[in-house]
Amino acid sequence: MQLADLVPALRLLIGLLIAFIVILALFYGRDMLIPLALAMLLGFLLDPAVSRLKRWGLPRMAAAIVVVAFALAALGGLGMYLGSQVQQLSADLPTYQSTIRDKLRGLRKSANMPSAWDGVFKTYNTLEKEISSADGATARVQKVEVQSPESRPTTKMLQWLVRIVEPVTTAGIVLLFVILILLDRDDLRDRLLRLMGGNLHVATDALDEASERIGKYLRMQFIVNVSYGIPLAAGLWFISVPGAILWGVLGAIMRFVPYVGPMMSAVFPLALAFAVDPSWNMFLLTLGLILLLELISNNVIEPWLYGASTGLSTLSIIVAATFWTALWGPIGLILSTPLTVCLLVLGRYIPSLKFMEVLLGSEPVLGPQQRLYQRLLADDADDAISMAVESVEERLPSKPTSEDRANAISGFYDEVAIPALRIATQQHLESATAVHRLRLSNGMGALLEELRDHYAPHVGGKRRGTQLPESDQRRRLRIHCAGARWEVDALGAAMVAHTESLHGHEVSCSEWALTTDSQALLPDANGQLGDGEWAKAMQTSDLLVLSIFSNQPQSMARRMVRRIRRHWPRARVVLCLWNAPAVAADPNFAAQCGAQACVTSLHELHLWVEAMQVDDSGESVIAAPIPEGDAQRVKALHASGVLSPSLTLLYHETAKQAINAFNVKWAQVSWVDADRVYTPGSLLPSPDEGTVLHSLPRESTVSSYVVYEEEAIVVGDLARDPRFAADPTVQSLKLRFYAGVPLIDKKGHVLGCFAILDNEPRNLSDDELAVLSSMAQQLMEQVREALKQGSAQGPAVEA
């Protein structure tokens, strides 16, 4: 065995040894670590108040002292009040002795009455006596009592002092740590950043996420506890349980202790209700109140408020509570969730600790496409079908139209089913067996059949209204779909056929891939491709869609398109290169093959289909439809004042911020009028003069689509999008990337959009899109503030 083969085992052993050392350090160093952990937890709670006072102008030291003093005063006042309540209850307890005695006697009497178990107990006692008598040995038992000498008063006092000094000392250390953390928060943060390594970006994100998750958890925990304690106190007061406010406060405080705290807090009001009322009414009402509040809190309040605040799975929270309780006792139980959140964040940002995120996190460790592929490999087609239907239903609105259904199916195929087939092609020759391939084929076929039955095309379904010519609205294409070589290609073609049929087109699909169909591309004696179903479909179709999952499809695609065009010169072909995005991104490859376009998703394919519906040549710009109520929107645009020339500087500064933040070449603030789009202050160079464009025709801008869709639009490559590829402005400026978010006024009118642009294709993550949206919202707030202050006076730009 070579040394390289032992490296994984050595790494595992080293990891286990390090984990063992860390656990020992946590256990034997708990006297020092527990106060520090408690202080950090309290620091998370108190730091927002200190930061707020500092923003109000108070020095940080003074703010920390004020917050700590206020917290101590609040705790002291609460302790004094609770102490007085306990003292009053203690004085009243002797009056309840007779009630307790009577109830206990009644319970004892009930226990002595005949029951269904008396026969069992009698038989057991008889057998025990027989076994004892069979031994024949009797023994005398003499009771021996050992009495210790009475302790002296001095010894008792010292014992009580030891018990008191330890928690008081711990509390003092915690208080000192809290003050130091609040005073030196920035310095401690810098030191933690330094300890986490030289990558300040990763370290900063990790600390911010940990702080946000723990802070949100503590705030939500406080709200949940208060929402439990107040109804508990009110209900106990209504039931007439003595000390109702005391038990409500105790219930709210004890819920900070997971699992055990709620049960402990429920014991006291139940015991008091048992002692006060001679009947069982008060006890049963108190028990019902506690159970009702627990059900509401656990099943309604906590899921609603917590959400994904911690990011921990339920199992990991329970295991963490057990682990930290075993190490640190009751304090560990209280600190278990915040400490485990820190471990989760470390696992998310440190590659060597990635396993912690997998073990502790609540997010699925397998993506939907991987889970679907696994279900198919496991021959669990029913589960795969239920997953597919559930995924499609999540994408549908409450009252879906036929277009919504088509978009939902297309989204599922693009995001789940086709990526699952990509995994299948990668594993085809590496680790997949014949059984696996058969299960995948049968399972995916059953899934597609179920989706076709469940989401069948609706004849005469209502589409979203546009202002295209009426003839174009009624025009539907005849599309034939076929797989190129493998069975997965045929499965992809079936997905295309289903999606486009939901969009209202007349669709046919070859059951087998072309190279496996013996009659598909083989010419007859006259050099023609026969009169089979394939030939008939090609003679009557407006468009052929070829599905290809190969990661090197160049030669096969050229050969197949060349053979098809030899027999049908006017045939229009679109290549679906599912597994070759780099090849599809080459703008010259489609022309070299003789195809109309190369696409990598069903959404992109449908854009080309719509382009062919509007214009057969594909050489004109496809303008966005005019939305309903656009005249009212344009009226709101002119009344808003956003076109005032004095706001140009604000737009210019915002565009520069976006360019710097997203590392793009250009940024644009667009206001969409009836027939023009105004771009004051935008940074988009003119191809002729090198100056800034101030207006563009509405029909040739992406901004018009943002207004029509009323949502963000991201186009990774404008040159491959049929809506904009032929736009002279896009071609002259060599624009390739566009991402725009709507600019919305307080009444919900989309007045324009805020966009970033580049001359290179790229993608935009969800987090980056959220940042762009927040910048758009901030811009609208700044515009409203400027107009409110009168700094934007002047005539608006004439439409």
Side-chain angles (χ1 to χ4, degrees), residues 379-547:
D379 201 18
D380 193 354
D382 293 336
D383 195 12
I385 291 171
S386 64
M387 286 175 53
V389 174
E390 182 180 353
S391 179
V392 174
E393 291 295 328
E394 290 176 355
R395 291 172 166 82
L396 288 173
S398 57
K399 296 181 179 179
T401 63
S402 59
E403 196 74 6
D404 294 329
R405 291 158 60 88
N407 292 333
I409 286 290
S410 174
F412 167 74
Y413 287 152
D414 274 339
E415 298 172 17
V416 181
I418 290 176
L421 292 181
R422 289 195 189 103
I423 299 175
T425 58
Q426 295 168 3
Q427 300 293 326
H428 182 77
L429 297 177
E430 296 179 5
S431 55
T433 64
V435 174
H436 293 151
R437 300 187 191 106
L438 182 62
R439 289 177 178 178
L440 174 71
S441 174
N442 294 337
M444 187 63 77
L447 185 147
L448 293 178
E449 183 178 358
E450 180 68 23
L451 290 181
R452 283 193 295 265
D453 293 340
H454 196 75
Y455 302 99
H458 285 183
V459 179
K462 184 178 180 181
R463 292 169 56 87
R464 187 173 181 175
T466 64
Q467 289 191 1
L468 296 173
E470 185 177 353
S471 59
D472 285 335
Q473 287 189 28
R474 292 195 301 264
R475 184 171 180 264
R476 296 292 180 264
L477 298 182
R478 292 168 295 180
I479 303 174
H480 184 72
C481 308
R485 184 175 184 182
W486 306 109
E487 187 171 5
V488 288
D489 297 339
L491 292 173
M495 296 179 192
V496 173
H498 184 204
T499 302
E500 291 304 322
S501 66
L502 290 174
H503 282 294
H505 299 289
E506 184 180 341
V507 181
S508 58
C509 183
S510 296
E511 184 177 357
W512 304 99
L514 297 184
T515 55
T516 60
D517 187 349
S518 59
Q519 301 298 326
L521 294 179
L522 295 179
D524 57 14
N526 298 324
Q528 302 298 321
L529 292 187
D531 57 354
E533 294 183 1
W534 160 255
K536 293 179 180 178
M538 286 302 303
Q539 292 171 1
T540 59
S541 296
D542 299 315
L543 176 66
L544 169 65
V545 179
L546 281 180
S547 170

Side-chain angles (χ1 to χ4, degrees), residues 189-208 346 348-351:
R189 181 181 58 187
D190 295 342
R191 294 181 185 277
L192 286 175
L193 290 172
R194 183 61 179 170
L195 288 174
M196 293 178 67
N199 193 331
L200 291 179
H201 299 87
V202 174
T204 301
D205 291 343
L207 284 182
D208 289 344
L346 289 176
R348 181 165 296 176
Y349 289 95
I350 300 178

Side-chain angles (χ1 to χ4, degrees), residues 461-749:
K462 184 178 180 181
R463 292 169 56 87
R464 187 173 181 175
T466 64
Q467 289 191 1
L468 296 173
E470 185 177 353
S471 59
D472 285 335
Q473 287 189 28
R474 292 195 301 264
R475 184 171 180 264
R476 296 292 180 264
L477 298 182
R478 292 168 295 180
I479 303 174
H480 184 72
C481 308
R485 184 175 184 182
W486 306 109
E487 187 171 5
V488 288
D489 297 339
L491 292 173
M495 296 179 192
V496 173
H498 184 204
T499 302
E500 291 304 322
S501 66
L502 290 174
H503 282 294
H505 299 289
E506 184 180 341
V507 181
S508 58
C509 183
S510 296
E511 184 177 357
W512 304 99
L514 297 184
T515 55
T516 60
D517 187 349
S518 59
Q519 301 298 326
L521 294 179
L522 295 179
D524 57 14
N526 298 324
Q528 302 298 321
L529 292 187
D531 57 354
E533 294 183 1
W534 160 255
K536 293 179 180 178
M538 286 302 303
Q539 292 171 1
T540 59
S541 296
D542 299 315
L543 176 66
L544 169 65
V545 179
L546 281 180
S547 170
I548 306 175
F549 270 95
S550 172
N551 57 2
Q552 296 292 333
Q554 293 93 325
S555 59
M556 178 174 58
R558 291 192 187 98
R559 185 172 60 254
M560 296 186 72
V561 175
R562 188 183 307 115
R563 183 175 296 181
I564 291 169
R565 284 199 171 277
R566 184 183 306 140
H567 298 280
W568 297 284
R570 306 182 67 178
R572 295 186 296 180
V573 181
V574 173
L575 301 175
C576 295
L577 307 181
W578 308 116
N579 212 19
V583 178
D586 184 0
N588 299 320
F589 179 72
Q592 293 172 359
C593 289
Q596 299 293 117
C598 296
V599 300
T600 58
S601 67
L602 290 172
H603 173 71
E604 191 176 353
L605 170 65
H606 184 64
L607 293 178
W608 280 101
V609 171
E610 286 188 332
M612 294 175 187
Q613 284 182 271
V614 177
D615 186 86
D616 288 343
S617 65
E619 298 177 354
S620 62
V621 180
I622 304 173
I626 304 298
E628 298 180 1
D630 190 67
Q632 184 178 2
R633 186 198 63 81
V634 171
K635 183 178 179 181
L637 171 68
H638 288 278
S640 64
V642 297
L643 297 175
S644 174
S646 54
L647 289 172
T648 302
L649 181 60
L650 173 61
Y651 301 151
H652 185 77
E653 293 296 329
T654 304
K656 288 199 299 184
Q657 290 178 357
I659 290 173
N660 179 66
F662 293 95
N663 192 26
V664 293
K665 293 292 183 67
W666 306 296
Q668 185 182 52
V669 179
S670 304
W671 304 109
V672 181
D673 205 345
D675 55 359
R676 303 287 295 180
V677 175
Y678 298 100
T679 60
S682 299
L683 296 175
L684 185 63
S686 169
D688 299 327
E689 298 85 4
T691 58
V692 175
L693 293 174
H694 291 293
S695 69
L696 294 166
R698 177 173 178 174
E699 62 272 9
S700 64
T701 61
V702 191
S703 306
S704 59
Y705 277 90
V706 177
V707 171
Y708 171 67
E709 298 289 346
E710 297 183 351
E711 61 183 17
I713 286 183
V714 179
V715 183
D717 191 351
L718 290 167
R720 296 182 58 238
D721 194 310
R723 297 172 295 180
F724 318 112
D727 185 4
T729 304
V730 172
Q731 294 177 348
S732 60
L733 297 178
K734 298 181 180 180
L735 299 177
R736 298 296 296 275
F737 168 75
Y738 179 95
V741 294
L743 294 170
I744 306 173
D745 64 6
K746 286 187 175 181
K747 295 183 178 180
H749 296 117

